[in-house]
Each structure stands twice: as structure tokens, then as C-alpha cells.
Amino acid sequence: MLDLAGTELTDQERLLLAAPEVGGLILFARNYESPSQLKGLMQDIRAVRKDILVCVDHEGGRVQRFRDGFTRLPPMAVLGQHWQQVPAEAIAWAHELGWLLASELREYDIDFSFAPVLDLDWGNSSVIGDRAFADNATAVTELAGGVMAGMHEAGMAATGKHFPGHGWVAADSHLELPVDERSFAQIEADDLQPFAALAGRGLDAVMPAHVIYRQVCSAPAGFSQYWLQQVLRQRLHFDGVIFSDDLSMEGAGYAGDFKQRCDLALDAGCDMVLVCNDPEAAGQVLAHLQQRKVSAHPRLQRMRGRPVADVDTERLQRARELAERLVGGA
């Protein structure tokens, strides 16, 4: 999975997207100008590759790439705060926000968003912070489950991140390699619980963290056969897609150069590797994958956006009013 430089496809990008080893495209704020521009960009992308998976980081709060022309979504911590008072209503709100998020993106033929965040907010991580629903596993599980159910209803797959939990460490894996010193038993008792529960409730994909859990494995989770095969696949019985986190992040530097990062992530169990914000590195990885002769796993097809019936305009208005009210109270 790679990205684009601007609001229109370049000739070089058309060639890149046509390569069968490129299975996904992630959009960022720099790729968005207006609803009409996004619609045109998506039409151009589909003209090159009808089958490519197109996604975006669209969680709400600080992480929402498309803003003007889209409903501003609140940080998910707002739902966690309400869950402490009225749990059932907070879960219902989560469902509607998940449905709204997905409905607005599916209108533009975007397949999925990398959401929801399943990390617990331990109060240590500024990069997670209010992106997390709450500081306890039960609230995170139920609220993220509500968002996931709403996304599914609107024809969109859900991706839980960042396995097995990024909220304990203070370091930002975009900028450095965080190390979590807790035991497996401590991680399993808390952070792992939302992943375990939602794996059994239809979670479509997981994105592992560029974090080393030193007492468990010497490799970051996204490069670890122990975490991805023994824990996620075997212990949690997860049979969905595993996406690497962005291999251009500093936390991925553990694995070496970009070819080595790609190999280690795929060999650990990732189905698709992301290389973002570094066109030269993306080109290196593409050439390497062409030499390696990889093929896409059939499970990636479950990430494709599904057609749904016409959106209920009255429900859409109510969901937008709910989002606006929650943004205002955040």
C-alpha cells in the first residue's frame, strides 16, 4: 500500500498503481481539496485500477483527513466519558458515528478507514491520548464494537489498531521505537482484551504496533512471528487481514532498510505492508516485491467496500447533529 503526492494522479503514479504488487492506496489530507475534487480523483484511480483497495485514516478528533465537506467527528474519548454515565447510550452513539463515518466515505467509493483504535488510554501516550475510547478494556471493547457494527452496516470493514496495544508507552512510534516493559500477563489482562473480544465479533483487520514488548519478544509486534502468529492467529483465533503500520515510521527502523522491513513484516505474518510519505522507499519496496514474486492473499478481499441501499437522509442528518453536538462538547 502506497500513497499519492497531491490532489491529482501524476503519470508516474498511474504506472505505480497499475502494478499488480500494489494492492492498496492510502489517502491523506494533502490529497483532499473538496468533495468534487475527491470524487474526480477516485474516478481516476478506479479507471487505472478498479480492484485496488483505497483507504484513509478517518477516526475522528485529531485524526480525520477529510474535513471541509465532511462531518467533523469527535475524538473517541468523548464516547468513553459518556460511557461512564450512560453506557448503553454511549454504545448507541458509537454505532451511529461508525455508520456516519463509513457512509460518508463510501459515498466516494473509498473502501475502508483504519479504525477503530483499540488502544487503552493509560495516560502516558500523547500520540494515542483522546484517540482511545477509554482507559479500561470493557469500555473500549463495547464502544469500539459499536463503531465496528455501524461501519459494517454502512458497507465498510473495520481495522483494529495498534495490536497488542500502544497506549502504555510514552514514545511516539512515528518518531522513535517505543519499548513496553510489561509482562505478557499484564498486557493480556488489559490491552489485549479488546482485540480478543472483537476478533470473535467480526473484526476484519488488525494493524500491529511498532512497539517492542521487551519481556515478551525482542522484535516490535509488527515484525514478530510470536505476536502475529502465536498470539493473534493461534491464541485469539483471528483470521482477518493483518496490515503493517507504515514502514517509513522511525519505529520500523529496527528491521533495517526498506527491503528488510518489507521482508520481516511479510514473513512475520502481515498480509500487506504500508510505505507512506516516501516515494523513493515505496519504489524500492515495489521493485523488491516484484523480484520476490508475492501474490495477494484472498483474505484481503474482505476489505473491499460493499454496496448498500440508499442512505436514509433523515438518519444521516440525526447522526451529523449528534457528531456536531459531541464535537462541541469535546
Side-chain angles (χ1 to χ4, degrees), residues 138-308:
T138 301
V140 171
T141 299
E142 295 309 313
L143 293 170
V147 168
M148 180 179 76
M151 293 170 71
H152 284 171
E153 186 184 356
M156 180 173 284
T159 303
K161 58 186 185 184
H162 307 82
F163 177 82
H166 198 311
W168 178 266
V169 292
D172 179 352
S173 54
H174 293 86
L175 307 175
E176 53 187 311
L177 177 56
V179 177
D180 189 324
E181 299 287 2
R182 293 175 298 163
S183 68
F184 181 83
Q186 290 173 300
I187 297 166
E188 183 182 36
D190 293 302
D191 299 63
L192 210 53
Q193 290 304 305
F195 293 96
L198 296 180
R201 286 166 54 177
L203 184 65
D204 306 279
V206 161
M207 177 178 282
H210 289 320
V211 175
I212 291 177
Y213 304 85
R214 200 196 309 268
Q215 291 195 43
V216 183
C217 180
S218 61
F223 300 115
S224 167
Q225 290 188 20
Y226 174 80
W227 279 114
L228 300 187
Q229 299 298 326
Q230 295 185 43
V231 179
L232 185 58
R233 293 287 189 211
Q234 297 173 26
R235 194 176 187 123
L236 304 189
H237 306 291
F238 178 72
D239 65 353
V241 175
I242 303 177
F243 290 101
S244 83
D245 206 344
D246 182 7
L247 297 186
S248 67
M249 290 164 57
E250 285 300 315
Y254 159 92
D257 64 24
F258 279 92
K259 296 176 186 178
Q260 292 169 318
R261 298 179 198 191
C262 170
D263 283 343
L264 200 55
L266 291 175
D267 292 343
C270 290
D271 296 300
M272 181 175 281
V273 294
L274 278 69
V275 185
C276 311
N277 303 308
D278 193 332
E280 183 179 347
Q284 291 173 14
V285 170
L286 174 57
H288 180 62
L289 290 175
Q290 289 169 333
Q291 289 183 337
R292 182 169 161 156
K293 296 187 164 89
V294 299
S295 56
H297 195 286
R299 68 170 66 97
L300 281 162
Q301 291 303 312
R302 70 182 65 183
M303 303 307 296
R304 194 163 308 286
R306 300 177 295 281
V308 294

Side-chain angles (χ1 to χ4, degrees), residues 1-3 23-26 53 55 112 114 243 272-275:
M1 180 177 287
L2 43 69
D3 56 0
L25 174 66
I26 183 168
L53 294 171
C55 68
F112 66 96
F114 281 123
F243 290 101
M272 181 175 281
V273 294
L274 278 69
V275 185

Side-chain angles (χ1 to χ4, degrees), residues 310-321:
D310 291 340
V311 174
D312 181 338
T313 55
E314 290 185 6
R315 181 182 180 184
L316 191 62
Q317 183 58 35
R318 290 195 303 271
R320 286 171 170 164
E321 288 172 356

